[in-house]
Amino acid sequence: MLNPERAYNDAVRVLRSLEAAGYSARLAGGCVRDRLLGLAPADYDVATDALPDVVLQHFRTEERSTIPTGIDHGTITVVMPSGPIEVTTLRKDVETDGRHAQVAFGTSFQDDAKRRDFTINAMFEDADGRVYDDVGGQDDLKAGVLRFVGAAQERIKEDYLRILRLFRFWAKLGFTPVEGTLEAIAAERGGLSRVSQERISAELLRLLGAPYASDALAAMHSTGVWEVVLPELQGAASLPEANLMQTWRDHLATPHRGVAILGGICLRFAHLNAAGLLRLAERLRLSNLDGKRLAFFAQGAELLKVSAFKQTADLLDLVDRCEQAGGADAWTQIYAPIWNADAGLKAATLAIDQAELKHGHLRRAKLPLSGRDLSKALGMATGPEMGQVLEALKRSYRNGEWRSAEEGLGVARALLGKGA
Ligand code: ATP
Ligand code: MG
């Protein structure tokens, strides 16, 4: 995580360094918005009138490490001690195909503000903390509203992703769109099919994990955007209410919130099974890991419903399965918060929580007995029988029936005597 003060100081150093060389440079967009709101920006973007090649050369001369991230559209990443800072040459939109705006480099901060999406995202701040606001962004921040820079419908047609960006900022800040915006969105929603799925999915996951997501979701539903973005969930009779979204969110680990909440909605409101979830993950072009994570919401829920869970080992095994699907700590960080909020799954979830709390160390421990020990001490050959014995040993170990290797061998002998 960024150290907020160091990150800001580094951003100011970048500004001053460009200014000392005779260029103009200001903080731009989201970081200015967040600072005015008293929030710590996730990252700092700098806008400058220096051309990308010049920026690259300038920071190389200063012996900063630089990455020509998006040199064609004007962005150079400068690696500062606190983290990377993106320095982008001022731009002016010249043409657009509804997916990517064609831009030309410019020298005017006013023009650059005009191509940004919302007024609250279109402000600049200089190294002395002076804010430049040509679009009424500060008033809109105070009023808590989202307003496109310029005419909503036109701005949407330039880049349909802005529809989802609006809902994401709604979900993040609790700001509502000004009059006429939702109508424009409803009218233009079909254009979302022209935007790459990766860009849509990235916005969608961020949106779902944000604090005011349930309000944004309701509006996505009423404008018909929800069914364009997630047609798989058309069968859902309703969408989660604020309380449930809040409960989910409170207990989920931050990086997994989006995927887990998507899983929760699919499972509980649209009753998708594992195959349906996998298909959804593929269409959304989620990573393989996120796809596995998503599918296990259904697989795991089935196990919770049908398993008898008589023994500690069964409970701990389910935690293992969660981790196999979702990675380390997937039980606590991803699955338990969603299943625990479901009346039908709550009892089993609590039982597993208890078992993990009390006996999780047994699950994480390496079994004190290996296949090699079994062949040495009991002359067993490797093969399916040994596999079965080891599996049974693991169960009984997790059930607390033995601890030392010696005790384990005793258990193994007994198992073999019974023809395990
Ligand atoms: P966050 O803090 O969530 O990253 P952000 O506002 O910084 O929010 P980014 O996606 O990082 O959002 O974009 C940085 C800035 O670039 C925005 O504040 C906005 O001014 C501009 N921007 C980004 N995407 C678009 C877009 N599709 N259309 C117009 N302007 C955009
Ligand atoms: Mg940003």
Side-chain angles (χ1 to χ4, degrees):
M1 195 51 213
L2 286 177
N3 172 331
E5 207 169 322
R6 282 182 55 213
Y8 174 69
N9 291 340
D10 276 349
V12 170
R13 278 158 79 190
V14 167
L15 298 182
R16 293 218 189 277
S17 157
L18 284 165
E19 278 171 358
Y23 302 101
S24 292
R26 295 174 189 163
L27 302 180
C31 59
V32 180
R33 173 201 69 220
D34 286 346
R35 279 169 52 74
L36 288 169
L37 286 169
L39 304 172
D43 44 42
Y44 286 89
D45 294 317
V46 166
T48 179
D49 58 0
L51 289 171
D53 290 334
V54 175
V55 174
L56 202 61
Q57 207 43 53
H58 174 81
F59 286 100
R60 281 190 179 156
T61 317
E62 286 204 339
E63 301 193 347
R64 297 274 175 216
S65 140
T66 50
I67 310 163
T69 321
I71 191 156
D72 294 341
H73 53 263
T75 304
I76 306 290
T77 302
V78 181
V79 184
M80 295 299 283
S82 65
I85 289 181
E86 293 204 336
V87 181
T88 304
T89 304
L90 292 170
R91 286 172 295 187
K92 205 174 160 168
D93 279 351
V94 286
E95 203 187 312
T96 169
D97 62 355
R99 286 180 292 185
H100 292 291
Q102 303 288 308
V103 295
F105 298 130
T107 50
S108 150
F109 285 93
Q110 278 96 334
D111 284 347
D112 194 83
K114 282 193 208 127
R115 48 163 288 277
R116 293 177 183 269
D117 47 9
F118 308 110
T119 58
I120 61 166
N121 287 348
M123 294 179 277
F124 302 94
E125 182 183 331
D126 68 17
D128 299 317
R130 197 169 148 210
V131 173
Y132 300 80
D133 174 14
D134 285 315
V135 292
Q138 297 203 77
D139 288 342
D140 287 343
L141 266 188
K142 282 190 199 110
V145 295
L146 296 166
R147 185 194 310 273
F148 275 101
V149 176
Q153 206 153 348
E154 261 172 51
R155 299 310 311 282
I156 293 169
K157 281 183 173 161
E158 286 169 9
D159 178 0
Y160 290 95
L161 187 73
R162 290 173 186 159
I163 292 177
L164 280 186
R165 287 180 58 88
L166 179 122
F167 290 115
R168 168 156 76 84
F169 289 111
W170 185 339
K172 172 182 161 125
L173 302 169
F175 285 19
T176 46
V178 295
E179 223 186 302
T181 310
L182 289 180
E183 289 77 359
I185 285 177
E188 295 298 335
R189 66 184 190 276
L192 272 168
S193 61
R194 298 167 59 182
V195 180
S196 85
Q197 188 58 53
E198 285 84 351
R199 291 178 82 206
I200 293 182
S201 296
E203 293 292 338
L204 184 66
L205 291 184
R206 291 183 72 180
L207 184 168
L208 288 171
Y212 302 94
S214 70
D215 295 340
L217 248 54
M220 286 171 79
H221 200 248
S222 68
T223 47
V225 169
W226 184 251
E227 63 187 46
V228 172
V229 179
L230 284 167
E232 291 86 349
L233 303 190
Q234 278 217 47
S238 64
L239 284 172
E241 286 175 7
N243 276 347
L244 178 60
M245 291 286 275
Q246 185 69 37
T247 309
W248 281 347
R249 191 171 179 277
D250 284 349
H251 294 94
L252 289 164
T254 318
H256 304 307
R257 277 181 182 148
V259 170
I261 289 174
L262 179 60
I265 295 174
C266 291
L267 187 67
R268 204 152 142 190
F269 294 86
H271 309 289
L272 292 192
N273 60 18
L277 285 172
L278 263 183
R279 270 198 305 275
L280 174 64
E282 264 168 38
R283 187 187 63 78
L284 293 181
R285 295 180 175 271
L286 302 188
S287 68
N288 284 341
L289 180 55
D290 275 344
K292 261 169 74 185
R293 284 184 175 134
L294 199 61
F296 198 74
F297 275 100
Q299 286 162 335
E302 283 310 310
L303 289 172
L304 285 183
K305 277 187 214 147
V306 300
S307 296
F309 292 127
K310 288 204 186 76
Q311 301 189 323
T312 306
D314 302 317
L315 299 165
L316 295 181
D317 276 352
L318 204 116
V319 182
D320 272 354
R321 302 275 299 258
C322 288
E323 297 202 339
Q324 279 155 20
D329 296 323
W331 167 258
T332 28
Q333 298 194 345
I334 303 179
Y335 297 108
I338 301 289
W339 291 333
N340 187 47
D342 188 327
L345 305 174
K346 195 180 181 81
T349 307
L350 285 177
I352 295 173
D353 258 344
Q354 290 292 323
E356 175 67 3
L357 211 62
K358 269 195 177 153
H359 308 292
H361 60 283
L362 297 174
R363 186 177 69 78
R364 288 182 294 270
K366 192 163 172 283
L367 205 64
L369 209 58
S370 68
R372 275 177 70 169
D373 298 329
L374 289 183
S375 31
K376 248 204 223 153
L378 308 177
M380 279 192 87
T382 30
E385 191 190 31
M386 182 184 278
Q388 280 168 16
V389 172
L390 280 170
E391 200 42 49
L393 281 171
K394 185 170 111 185
R395 271 189 74 78
S396 54
Y397 183 77
R398 289 183 168 194
N399 280 329
E401 290 164 26
W402 60 276
R403 285 200 179 271
S404 67
E406 206 172 312
E407 288 168 339
L409 280 177
V411 175
R413 277 196 196 93
L415 283 168
L416 288 168
K418 276 189 260 160

